[in-house]
Amino acid sequence: MTEPHHQDDKLAKARTIGTFAPFGHRAFALLWTATLISNIGTWMHDVGAGWLMTTLDPSPAVVTLVQAATTLPVFLFGLLAGALADRLDKRRMLIAINAGLFLVVALLAFLVWLGEMTPLLLILFTLIIGTGAAFMAPAWQAVVPQLVPREALKPAIALNSMGINISRAIGPALAGILIAGIGLAAPFALNAASFLVIIAALLMWRPEPRPLRQPAGSILSEMATGLRHVRHNAAMLATLVRALAFFLFASAVWSLLPLIARASEGGGSALYGILMALIGAGAVTGAFVLPRLQTRLSSDQVAQAGTFGTAMALVLLAIFATPPVLMAATFLVGLSWIAVLTAFNVSAQTALPDWVRARGLAVYLMAFFGSMALGSIMWGQVASTASVPVALLAAAAGLILALLATSRFAIGQGEGLDLGPASIWPQAPTLDRDTTGDRAAMVTVEYRISAADRAAFLAAMQAFFGERLRNGATRWHLHQDVEDPELFVESFHLPSWNEHLKQHGRVSRHDAELQDRVRAFDKRGSGPLVRHFIGAE
């Protein structure tokens, strides 16, 4: 069990880590730089695709489909991608996906150069590229804790967000210059080249070899295990609720910005690139301000401040059509966006143990991109039916109301928890050689509880039972013996014996603390009696 003063020391050390300390780790610096270059290409691509669609079909409902096609695949395939990332070598998986994306984006650039692009074809390419990104995102997020020690994780996540937003400041402006000076194919061509940079960095990165996790069942069962973990992880569940409440309404900025730029006084592709660049500049500024802000405010308070800032920016974008005000509003969007995004990312990362990290992050990304896709479609329809300003004002009001409605779901609950493996369970019994490990399993734990301790024991069990379901169990029950009221029997079911063996390694030090509180009530000197069962053939 983790001692409280040791936990406090770790938290104090994490607070003193400098903003740029992760750059002291070569692997982080290498992949961060490569990702920066790749993200510049991605933002050039996004600006090019959004502007290309306004030239092919300027209808708001159609233009916003580009944003929806970018984000929808993560919602559809994110959990499958997370389960694969938890099974496979993440480095090799990332290399293969980036190689495929290079070929797809190169073909897209060639077709745009030939002038053969159509609205339907552009949406199809965007869906394919979004699918590649969907399979890459959980693996990419899950490797961050491999690059830095845990106490440097928060600044590493902030630096990743800053890198994304530095690229957002450079990419859109560069795309606007390229579109105006060379043509619409140029941003797509440079984006294709940026994938080669990522592949080269991944080939140069040599992580310490880790034993691949042996699958405990089918890919579908592992996806279900990931979902159960998230369902019974209070810190992760709160992060998801707040993320849905924010991104559903904040998506209005991204989906409607091409139309805002086109409708502005003297608007065009150059102004669109400038507005996108200012979002990036605001986010970079926010990355420098955040460390100082985080010493005074909790992650939850930072997210609240960012939500109010985003709502204010939406109101400015709706009311004013002059470029100076639009520039100020988009800078505020970037400043607020990085505050919210960093708070959510830290909350999700610190809520998850390593064994289910990619699947848990995949669920978070599904909530993120799913709400962005749904919001893009929704705000496009509102803008088509009413107007762009009405859609922006409705989104601003929705942000504030959603924040008030979900305020009890505080984010950052996992930041003080020690989720490292405890390795406290004794070795499980060995099956005989004729019995396979794919048969269903059940474990029972018998407790002898005095009448005076019964209420406190049940309260401790109420706080503890989620540990069983988070770590692989599909069902959990607690029964009291009718003839011997002091005897309580806990039972939990698992899809296979192999899954139970994996469960032994999943118990975290935080779980161990909860377990010790429950076992302290047992009257037996030797502790509760544990029995193991497998399904009879």
Side-chain angles (χ1 to χ4, degrees):
M1 187 171 72
T2 304
E3 296 296 331
H5 72 274
H6 177 63
Q7 187 76 332
D8 292 340
D9 289 344
K10 289 179 70 176
L11 290 173
K13 184 178 180 182
R15 292 191 188 100
T16 60
I17 293 291
T19 303
F20 300 101
F23 284 134
H25 302 273
R26 180 181 177 276
F28 178 85
L30 172 67
L31 292 179
W32 186 91
T33 304
T35 305
L36 174 66
I37 295 170
S38 179
N39 282 332
I40 289 173
T42 299
W43 285 111
M44 286 194 298
H45 176 103
D46 288 350
V47 170
W51 196 256
L52 176 60
M53 186 58 85
T54 65
T55 65
L56 298 172
D57 189 337
S59 165
V62 176
V63 171
T64 54
L65 282 178
V66 175
Q67 174 69 24
T70 301
T71 54
L72 185 61
V74 180
F75 176 74
L76 296 176
F77 304 115
L79 187 57
L80 173 60
L84 288 172
D86 276 330
R87 281 188 175 212
L88 303 177
D89 182 298
K90 296 177 181 63
R91 174 175 167 270
R92 293 181 180 178
M93 181 177 176
L94 289 169
I95 291 171
I97 294 172
N98 277 281
L101 287 173
F102 163 72
L103 296 175
V104 172
V105 177
L107 177 59
L108 170 61
F110 183 64
L111 291 174
V112 173
W113 179 68
L114 291 177
E116 299 295 329
M117 190 55 58
T118 65
L120 182 60
L121 200 55
L122 178 58
I123 291 172
L124 179 62
F125 266 102
T126 305
L127 279 170
I128 296 171
I129 295 166
T131 300
F135 279 90
M136 184 164 56
W140 196 260
Q141 295 249 6
V143 301
V144 174
Q146 290 181 238
L147 307 178
V148 295
R150 180 176 173 83
E151 59 267 18
L153 183 59
K154 184 179 285 190
I157 293 170
L159 285 172
N160 274 346
S161 297
M162 185 177 75
I164 291 170
N165 290 291
I166 289 174
S167 64
R168 183 182 284 152
I170 298 171
L174 187 56
I177 294 170
L178 291 171
I179 291 170
I182 301 176
L184 269 168
F188 303 111
L190 285 181
N191 183 38
S194 72
F195 286 107
L196 298 178
V197 176
I198 280 284
I199 293 170
L202 288 167
L203 290 171
M204 292 170 61
W205 174 42
R206 297 294 180 182
E208 293 183 9
R210 291 187 172 193
L212 287 179
R213 185 178 58 82
Q214 295 300 315
S218 69
I219 193 72
L220 290 177
S221 71
E222 297 216 324
M223 291 164 64
T225 298
L227 284 173
R228 279 195 302 274
H229 178 90
V230 171
R231 167 64 182 85
H232 297 282
N233 184 327
M236 192 65 199
L237 203 59
T239 306
L240 292 177
V241 171
R242 288 286 293 280
L244 286 168
F246 176 80
F247 293 121
L248 182 65
F249 299 99
S251 62
V253 174
W254 306 103
S255 58
L256 298 175
L257 196 58
L259 300 170
I260 295 169
R262 181 175 281 275
S264 172
E265 299 171 7
S269 62
L271 177 62
Y272 179 45
I274 290 170
L275 295 180
M276 290 288 287
L278 282 168
I279 292 177
V284 172
T285 304
F288 284 100
V289 173
L290 267 178
R292 183 175 298 177
L293 198 63
Q294 288 168 335
T295 62
R296 302 179 181 181
L297 303 176
S298 67
S299 293
D300 193 65
Q301 291 170 326
V302 170
Q304 290 179 25
T307 301
F308 280 110
T310 304
M312 187 183 302
L314 285 167
V315 172
L316 292 174
L317 291 171
I319 296 175
F320 300 97
T322 57
V325 178
L326 296 182
M327 291 176 187
T330 49
F331 183 86
L332 179 58
V333 167
L335 196 67
S336 304
W337 184 266
I338 194 173
V340 176
L341 199 62
T342 301
F344 286 163
N345 283 346
V346 169
S347 182
Q349 286 275 14
T350 55
L352 294 165
D354 282 341
W355 69 269
V356 74
R357 186 177 301 278
R359 279 169 285 179
L361 290 172
V363 175
Y364 166 70
L365 290 170
M366 288 170 64
F368 175 12
F369 286 98
S371 54
M372 289 285 285
L374 177 61
S376 296
I377 295 170
M378 180 173 70
W379 300 121
Q381 293 299 320
V382 173
S384 295
T385 304
S387 66
V388 171
V390 168
L392 292 169
L393 290 172
L399 267 177
I400 302 304
L401 292 175
L403 176 62
L404 295 175
T406 60
S407 58
R408 67 187 182 92
F409 294 93
I411 66 168
Q413 298 176 31
E415 291 181 30
L417 304 181
D418 188 345
L419 300 181
S423 302
I424 60 167
W425 282 13
Q427 186 173 352
T430 303
L431 299 180
D432 63 62
R433 65 177 60 185
D434 297 325
T435 305
T436 60
D438 58 358
R439 287 158 67 175
M442 180 182 74
V443 180
T444 64
V445 186
E446 297 180 5
Y447 304 89
R448 188 158 289 281
I449 309 297
S450 65
D453 291 333
R454 193 172 299 160
F457 168 74
L458 292 175
M461 267 296 185
Q462 182 67 26
F464 172 66
F465 83 94
E467 182 274 336
R468 309 296 197 196
L469 297 168
R470 281 196 301 274
N471 290 340
T474 56
R475 288 181 290 155
W476 180 90
H477 303 283
L478 181 66
H479 293 93
Q480 183 179 14
D481 193 314
V482 174
E483 297 175 325
D484 183 2
E486 286 192 342
L487 181 62
F488 287 81
V489 180
E490 174 196 12
S491 63
F492 53 95
H493 299 251
L494 298 110
S496 71
W497 178 256
N498 289 333
E499 183 76 8
H500 175 60
L501 296 181
K502 299 291 182 185
Q503 191 180 30
H504 276 243
R506 294 171 179 171
V507 179
S508 70
R509 285 185 277 273
H510 172 65
D511 296 332
E513 292 177 2
L514 297 175
Q515 179 176 285
D516 287 346
R517 292 174 197 166
V518 168
R519 294 194 170 201
F521 292 103
D522 189 82
K523 290 174 60 178
R524 296 186 181 92
S526 57
L529 179 61
V530 181
R531 302 179 189 273
H532 298 80
F533 302 86
I534 59 170
E537 289 186 334

